């Protein structure tokens, strides 16, 4: 076990949390808990122009729903706060000044128009403009200007940025837990902006300073940050600080396997890419969430864990505790992980079977009440099973129904189509099924079955089976000739739960009523 592990998940509050971000948070969480460490949520809101109201709370809610609460966060601070970068502004200028004093950074006064002009000039010559060692002495900065000129510009309040002075003709040897040894030629690196004259740092400076001050031991983040790895290592060297270990996670790919998964893919193929529903405060647009679509958080965590990680065994179903015990960054793949919407449903189906029936019944009850009420309004209801009121079905009864149908369900939203006949009588009968089930003599057979049911005193599933199957056998009638039309009478189609379970649940009177109705209609 690695000692004193501290990891951070550092999203920007610019909108809802994408599944890629949730996967990054999950891998950080698993690694921290595996080593008895701390999982920290830091909100990186230095770019105030992109700040979106409600996004920070959404991130916290999403992590909590997934069962990954942060040990330290803006709402649960520890000893390393503040946990919002916008509240740490006073810290960064000091460190930017330190880099200037040590010669590792410099003031640059080039305007955006001047830089655009340089870029266009390079493009006409078939070159790419990079602000670094090969041209910085020709540009407007504290390396090319005298100290007096620099001080005059600062005193006059001219706009400036502080740039990192990337080294020339040096090969960096970097190490990544997932990707191994990486070599970078510093000649191709640009002098990144670290600090702006508005008093706000860029991500690069704030990220390094915060990770150091918060004593982060491992930086586990997405592959898109790999190009910044060299700069971040150099910043640690420039400050004389020990760098954390780095691990860059593979991309989550579209279901086709080509390109990074986006919200557009979800919209196009009909699956969410956010953990919770998101309502855009500016446009009012609502984006679907896994929670609202009926996924269990355990299912989401389980399928996200397999996007890029492999336990090395055949096991696919993992509880959070099992994931924590099994997780190892060295078993994370380098290549992108294809997102499979069908596999996410497979996981949810499994976790459906694990859910407590009473909890499922409580979640299903509003759907039942709404549909039963609708049936009543339309004048198409049977005798609803309701001890406490016509359109208020007893939750204990619903729990019994759930136990019979959940094996075939993936989502709670599937329950009504699988169980409507337990609550309302059929008002129509599947035409194809009717032709298949109703033959010459079927009415007489059903009339006899209704009579048998009416005469049963001990009305249980076992008694129903014994009496009806015994009658079929003793009269040498094919089971299909009885059971198909009986099912049609009860359900309206040749599908549904066990026929004897249905009759027991809806009761003797309702069972006979439905049989007599189908005889009359068909």
């Amino acid at each position: 076990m690695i000692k004193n592990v501290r990891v951070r998940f550092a999203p920007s509050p610019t909108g809802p949390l994408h599944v890629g971000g949730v996967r990054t948070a999950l891998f950080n969480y698993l690694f921290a808990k595996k080593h008895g460490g701390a999982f920290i949520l830091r909100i990186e809101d230095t770019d105030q122009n992109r700040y979106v109201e409600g996004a920070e709370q959404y991130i916290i809610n999403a992590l909590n729903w997934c069962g990954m609460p942060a040990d330290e966060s803006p709402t649960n601070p520890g000893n390393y706060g503040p946990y919002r970068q916008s509240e740490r502004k006073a810290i960064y200028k000091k460190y930017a000044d330190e880099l200037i004093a040590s010669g590792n950074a410099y003031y640059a006064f080039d305007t955006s128009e001047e830089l655009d002009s340089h870029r266009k000039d390079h493009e006409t010559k078939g070159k790419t403009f990079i602000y670094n060692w090969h041209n910085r002495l020709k540009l407007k900065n504290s390396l090319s200007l005298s100290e007096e000129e620099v001080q005059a510009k600062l005193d006059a309040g001219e706009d400036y940025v502080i740039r990192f002075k990337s080294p020339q003709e040096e090969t960096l040897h970097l190490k990544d837990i997932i990707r191994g040894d990486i070599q970078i030629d510093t000649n191709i690196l640009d002098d990144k902006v670290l600090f702006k004259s508005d008093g706000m740092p860029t991500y690069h400076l704030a990220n390094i300073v915060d990770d150091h001050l918060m004593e982060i031991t491992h930086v586990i983040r997405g592959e898109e940050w790999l190009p910044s790895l060299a700069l971040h290592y150099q910043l640690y060297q420039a400050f004389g600080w020990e760098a954390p270990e780095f691990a860059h996670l593979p991309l989550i790919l579209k279901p086709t396997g080509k390109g990074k998964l986006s919200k557009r893919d979800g919209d196009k193929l009909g699956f969410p890419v956010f953990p919770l529903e998101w309502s855009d405060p500016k446009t009012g647009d609502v984006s679907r969430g896994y929670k609202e679509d009926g996924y269990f958080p355990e299912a989401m965590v389980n399928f996200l864990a397999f996007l890029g990680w492999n336990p090395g065994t055949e096991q696919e179903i993992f509880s959070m505790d099992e994931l924590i015990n099994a997780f190892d960054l060295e078993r994370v793949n380098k290549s992108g992980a294809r997102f499979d919407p069908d596999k996410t449903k497979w996981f949810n189906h499994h976790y459906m079977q694990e859910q407590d029936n009473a909890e499922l019944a409580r979640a299903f009850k509003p759907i039942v009440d709404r549909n039963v009420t609708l049936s009543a309004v339309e004048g198409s209801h049977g005798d609803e099973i309701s001890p406490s009121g016509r359109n208020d079905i007893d939750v204990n009864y619903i729990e019994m129904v759930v136990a019979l149908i959940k094996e075939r369900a993936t989502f709670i939203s599937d329950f009504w189509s699988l169980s409507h006949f337990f609550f309302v009588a059929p008002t129509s009968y599947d035409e194809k099924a009717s032709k298949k089930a109703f033959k010459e003599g079927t009415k007489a057979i059903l009339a006899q079955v209704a009579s048998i049911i009416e005469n049963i005193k001990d009305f249980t599933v076992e008694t129903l089976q014994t009496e009806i199957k015994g009658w079929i056998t003793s009269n040498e009638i094919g089971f299909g000739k009885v059971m198909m039309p009986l099912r049609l009478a009860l359900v309206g189609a040749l599908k549904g739960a066990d026929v004897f379970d249905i009759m027991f649940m809806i009761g003797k009177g309702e069972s006979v009523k439905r049989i007599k109705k189908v005889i009359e209609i068909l």
Side-chain angles (χ1 to χ4, degrees), residues 398-470:
I398 297 174
E399 183 180 340
M400 294 168 69
V401 171
V402 165
L404 293 172
I405 63 165
K406 76 172 186 179
E407 186 180 344
R408 293 184 292 282
T410 299
F411 305 106
I412 292 173
S413 58
D414 297 335
F415 283 180
W416 181 254
S417 64
L418 293 169
S419 69
H420 58 87
F421 45 84
F422 284 109
F423 305 101
V424 293
T427 57
S428 61
Y429 303 92
D430 181 89
E431 188 176 344
K432 189 175 179 181
S434 299
K435 289 178 180 177
K436 185 176 181 181
F438 265 71
K439 307 293 183 184
E440 187 178 345
T442 297
K443 287 188 177 185
I445 289 172
L446 283 181
Q448 188 60 45
V449 170
S451 178
I452 293 169
I453 294 169
E454 283 184 303
N455 289 316
I456 291 175
K457 292 180 180 178
D458 181 22
F459 197 77
T460 63
V461 172
E462 293 75 16
T463 307
L464 281 164
Q465 285 180 325
T466 301
E467 293 293 328
I468 294 174
K469 286 183 176 180

Side-chain angles (χ1 to χ4, degrees), residues 192-204:
K192 290 287 189 189
V193 174
L194 302 179
F195 199 85
K196 296 168 285 185
S197 55
D198 64 1
M200 289 301 284
T202 62
Y203 170 83
H204 301 293

Side-chain angles (χ1 to χ4, degrees), residues 369-380:
D369 290 342
R370 184 168 63 249
N371 280 285
V372 169
T373 299
L374 184 62
S375 296
V377 169
E378 293 174 348
S380 59

